[in-house]
Amino acid sequence: MLSDFVIIGAGAVGLASALELARRGARVTVLDKGQSGGESTWAGGGILSPLLPWQYGEEVNALSEYSRALFPAWRLRLEALSGLEAEYRVSGMLVLPPFEQQPAFAWCARHAWRHELRNSGDVLANGSNEASLWLPEVAQVRNPRLAKVLRGAALAAGVRILESVQVTGLVSAAGRIARLSTQQGDFSAAGFVVAAGAWSSALPGLEAFAERIFPVRGQMLLFKLPPDSLRSIVLHNGAYLIPRTDGHVLAGSTLEYSGFDKSTTQAAKRDLLAFAARILPALSDLVLSRHWSGLRPGSPDNVPVIGPCLGYDNLFINSGHFRYGVTMAPGSAVLLADLIEGKKPAISAAPYTAGMATPKMRELAADA
Ligand SMILES: Cc1cc2nc3c(=O)[nH]c(=O)nc-3n(C[C@H](O)[C@H](O)[C@H](O)COP(=O)(O)OP(=O)(O)OC[C@H]3O[C@@H](n4cnc5c(N)ncnc54)[C@H](O)[C@@H]3O)c2cc1C
């Protein structure tokens, strides 16, 4: 039987962790410095797959494939608990050239992904006719809706969510975390989970994680067209369009290493507008409704950090999912809970715990 836990961060990763720990019998409190799901989880595109999976290492694909398999039943359970919908939809993804056909086809065959070459004109009414890669099984969720579903489901499952509560300190004693400090008072528990997204390594005492988790800004544009103007996700040279069911279309995203600065820039707006109009000419300034940015929890090679933390017996981390934290949320939560419970996980945890053994972290763990 699991005991009580406090989780720092109510994004997709923190709330998925809370739900999984609660499902296994733990009493869970989640603290967030802002609104639950209000940071990267709100800002993201909700594509439930790495963009070009064959370009990533097995560590990324093992976790994202595990998570993708869990996703449909997971979101149904959360939707039933919350009474809300995340707009999960298998919309497919069209990859426009150039792409590496041989590695792409080999990867899809090895992972049993349906794939075929298709004319771009079949999906895009822009007069193009290029041999493109069609991945019909790629799904998506609508991030702000998923954030509401996660919050509602967590509350229905008995998780306590405290918003506008910023953790300012982790107080340790005898190799354990004794409590968390906040301006609203201290929080004690048997166990603690760091799921503070891009801010995970900004928590006092966790600065050594800065080499494993760092902010990477992503800017996004939102357009409004009539429904069905675009039906599938379209990817071209690293940028994408994502259609929602009500006619909204997202164009994203930038990858910027600008610290914790969340401002938007005219240069990114210009580039994303030009990209969007090239793919779908109806996407112009006239139908632009919003421009925002979010801070991804960046990590080297997009490999997250999941498991016990810094040698403290009762401190765990689930962070650094970079571009795929929504995709990886359910799988990461199950992996974390298995490690906490001492159960053998369905996939190897080694790639996600290995990154914690940096020299600085070993030094800190030895001092703890
Ligand atoms: C533009 C963009 C597009 C993206 N597209 C996709 C995509 O298509 N598919 C995909 O899978 N992923 C995508 N992502 C990535 C995905 O959104 C992130 O990996 C994921 O949301 C990370 O979730 P998280 O819970 O770790 O972080 P967050 O959602 O950022 O949550 C962390 C939470 O911790 C809280 N917090 C931080 N510090 C403290 C503190 N000291 N005390 C209390 N609370 C604290 C924050 O307020 C925040 O709410 C995208 C991201 C961006 C920005």
Side-chain angles (χ1 to χ4, degrees):
M1 175 77 173
L2 284 172
S3 185
D4 54 328
F5 277 83
V6 174
I7 296 180
I8 309 170
V13 173
L15 289 177
S17 306
L19 276 154
E20 186 58 22
L21 290 172
R23 198 177 67 83
R24 297 183 190 207
R27 270 182 302 132
V28 187
T29 298
V30 188
L31 308 178
D32 200 287
K33 66 179 173 59
Q35 300 298 300
S36 69
E39 292 290 351
S40 193
T41 294
W42 182 91
I47 302 172
L48 298 179
S49 164
L51 293 177
L52 298 174
W54 47 93
Q55 292 187 345
Y56 287 94
E58 226 11 74
E59 311 92 321
V60 171
N61 284 315
L63 184 56
S64 64
E65 286 297 278
Y66 177 50
S67 208
R68 273 168 29 85
L70 298 176
F71 214 104
W74 181 72
R75 69 97 194 178
L76 282 175
R77 187 170 73 82
L78 304 194
E79 288 182 343
L81 270 169
S82 65
L84 301 168
E85 284 189 21
E87 267 190 36
Y88 172 90
R89 194 157 68 90
V90 184
S91 59
M93 180 162 78
L94 188 75
V95 183
L96 300 177
F99 58 88
E100 310 149 299
Q101 190 166 322
Q102 201 279 329
F105 273 54
W107 189 94
C108 288
R110 205 165 56 248
H111 291 83
W113 271 39
R114 283 174 53 208
H115 60 287
E116 64 185 69
L117 281 180
R118 204 167 161 184
N119 280 332
S120 55
D122 294 351
V123 173
L124 294 167
N126 66 354
S128 66
N129 193 15
E130 300 176 291
S132 306
L133 175 62
W134 172 237
L135 301 170
E137 292 164 330
V138 173
Q140 59 162 288
V141 285
R142 189 163 177 165
N143 289 46
R145 307 269 162 105
L146 177 72
K148 285 190 179 146
V149 166
L150 278 161
R151 184 178 184 280
L155 291 174
V159 171
R160 194 162 64 125
I161 300 174
L162 302 180
E163 297 176 326
S164 303
V165 177
Q166 176 162 5
V167 174
T168 51
L170 286 76
V171 183
S172 66
R176 293 175 67 77
I177 299 296
R179 59 188 189 278
L180 305 179
S181 328
T182 78
Q183 288 200 328
Q184 287 75 13
D186 287 357
F187 289 82
S188 308
F192 300 88
V193 178
V194 175
W199 296 266
S200 297
S201 59
L203 285 163
L206 299 194
E207 294 84 359
F209 277 103
E211 53 194 284
R212 286 291 286 114
I213 304 164
F214 39 84
V216 182
R217 185 168 72 187
Q219 298 190 47
M220 197 85 105
L221 298 184
L222 180 72
F223 300 90
K224 182 73 170 79
L225 292 179
D228 287 336
S229 302
L230 179 69
R231 293 200 175 149
S232 316
I233 300 164
V234 179
L235 181 64
H236 184 227
N237 277 336
Y240 49 72
L241 296 180
I242 308 171
R244 303 304 195 201
T245 45
D246 62 1
H248 279 108
V249 177
L250 290 114
S253 57
T254 59
L255 276 173
E256 299 166 84
Y257 296 79
S258 43
F260 290 100
D261 177 6
K262 254 182 39 173
S263 48
T264 54
T265 64
Q266 284 305 311
K269 182 178 173 184
R270 193 190 52 233
D271 291 350
L272 289 171
L273 260 173
F275 157 75
R278 217 169 36 243
I279 304 296
L280 199 62
L283 296 174
S284 72
D285 249 341
L286 298 173
V287 290
L288 179 64
S289 46
R290 207 162 164 182
H291 176 195
W292 67 76
S293 84
L295 297 179
R296 308 176 185 89
S299 52
D301 301 325
N302 211 119
V303 179
V305 190
I306 304 168
C309 188
L310 288 178
Y312 295 109
D313 288 349
N314 63 342
L315 181 63
F316 301 87
I317 187 162
N318 192 2
S319 191
H321 297 77
F322 203 171
R323 305 195 78 178
Y324 307 119
V326 172
T327 307
M328 291 173 167
S332 301
V334 174
L335 181 57
L336 175 80
D338 284 345
L339 293 173
I340 289 175
E341 279 203 295
K343 285 190 177 161
K344 189 173 158 40
I347 59 168
S348 167
Y352 320 108
T353 53
M356 279 179 259
T358 62
K360 182 71 184 159
M361 288 173 195
R362 272 198 294 268
E363 195 184 299
L364 281 168
D367 288 348

